[in-house]
């Protein structure tokens, strides 16, 4: 699907399950310096446009389409939304921190964890889980990194978790970014990556 995309040409894709069918919206974004070189306003506009396309298809409600979050909070009307960036070499999640401006002194914690058995949505994940691995990065190392480099950083954290907890069921591994105030989901299915590594 992404084969043949030339450097500087990116595709923002939004997918959601609606009416038993997978609905998708695509938008081409050009930028000679890649996604990390795009102004945050342009990134927000691209995300808003693909969400609006899904709204027009009847696959998202207005609240989810209009929200500022890359991944809207759980909604009783809509299924979870997946936002991805395709650069011709891979497909990477678009996360909420990509749509914010951070000072250079900001620090980010990348966390791979196993969800606690008892869900407690009113408490932060980090306050509820004991099985996790983490990596702390300064803002320039994370915010200015390409989506592929961000994904490599996160994969290292996931591999560290699996080394520490070898009996972990790969499909249960979850990842997030903590920016000092918010836990931002990094939605990715790590099962296939980890299963391939075991072969």
């Amino acid at each position: 699907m992404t084969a043949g995309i030339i450097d500087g040409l990116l595709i923002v894709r939004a997918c959601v399950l609606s009416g038993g069918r997978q609905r998708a919206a695509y938008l081409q974004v050009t930028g000679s310096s890649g996604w990390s070189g795009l102004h945050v306003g342009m990134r927000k506009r691209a995300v808003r446009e693909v969400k609006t396309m899904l709204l027009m298809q009847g696959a998202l409600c207005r609240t989810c389409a209009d929200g500022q979050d890359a991944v809207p909070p759980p909604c009783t009307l809509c299924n979870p939304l997946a936002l991805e960036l395709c650069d011709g070499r891979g497909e990477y999640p678009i996360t909420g921190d990509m749509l914010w401006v951070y000072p250079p002194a900001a620090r980010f914690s990348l966390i791979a964890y196993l969800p606690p058995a008892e869900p407690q949505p009113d408490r932060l994940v980090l306050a509820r889980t004991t099985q996790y691995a983490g990596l702390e990065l300064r803002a320039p190392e994370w915010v200015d990194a390409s989506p592929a480099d961000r994904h490599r950083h996160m994969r290292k954290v996931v591999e560290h978790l699996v080394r520490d907890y070898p009996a972990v069921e790969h499909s249960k591994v979850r990842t997030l970014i903590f920016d000092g105030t918010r836990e931002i989901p990094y939605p990715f299915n790590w099962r296939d990556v980890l299963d391939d590594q075991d072969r």
Side-chain angles (χ1 to χ4, degrees):
M1 198 271 290
T2 58
I5 297 177
I6 59 172
D7 284 345
L9 183 60
L10 309 167
I11 293 178
V12 173
R13 178 175 63 197
C15 300
V16 67
L17 190 63
S18 176
R21 293 178 49 204
Q22 185 82 358
R23 306 282 179 154
Y26 304 88
L27 180 70
Q28 288 186 351
V29 181
T30 56
S32 58
S33 55
W35 180 259
S36 58
L38 288 177
H39 186 275
V40 171
M42 291 181 70
R43 296 181 199 178
K44 285 183 176 181
R45 181 177 166 202
V47 167
R48 172 62 83 64
E49 284 190 33
V50 290
K51 290 200 292 185
T52 300
M53 290 177 199
L54 289 177
L55 169 68
M56 301 309 283
Q57 293 179 38
L60 275 187
C61 69
R62 181 163 296 283
T63 302
C64 289
D66 288 346
Q68 291 297 316
D69 292 326
V71 180
C75 169
T76 56
L77 299 175
C78 306
N79 284 308
L81 174 69
L83 280 167
E84 295 177 326
L85 180 69
C86 311
D87 67 358
R89 292 174 289 277
E91 300 170 356
Y92 313 102
I94 295 175
T95 56
D97 61 300
M98 291 177 157
L99 308 180
W100 282 61
V101 176
Y102 291 93
R107 299 188 84 80
F108 293 83
S109 295
L110 313 186
I111 309 291
Y113 67 97
L114 298 175
E118 304 248 341
Q120 295 173 293
D122 56 328
R123 295 179 63 206
L124 293 175
V125 168
L126 297 179
R128 295 183 278 125
T129 186
T130 57
Q131 295 179 304
Y132 67 92
L135 173 68
E136 188 172 282
L137 297 174
R138 294 177 298 113
E141 296 173 292
W142 181 249
V143 175
D144 298 337
S146 71
D149 288 338
R150 288 166 53 99
H151 198 67
R152 274 191 286 276
H153 284 310
M154 191 62 86
R155 181 172 174 161
K156 286 179 188 173
V157 180
V158 170
E159 289 170 350
H160 185 84
L161 174 76
V162 172
R163 274 197 311 271
D164 287 352
Y165 302 97
V168 64
E169 189 177 325
H170 295 165
S171 62
K172 292 186 176 176
V173 173
R174 300 288 180 270
T175 42
L176 63 83
I177 305 148
F178 184 64
D179 68 358
T181 57
R182 301 177 303 153
E183 290 183 345
I184 304 163
Y186 187 95
F188 189 78
N189 181 0
W190 296 102
R191 181 184 59 195
D192 294 340
V193 173
L194 296 171
D195 287 351
D196 286 346
Q197 187 176 289
D198 285 348
R199 289 188 188 122

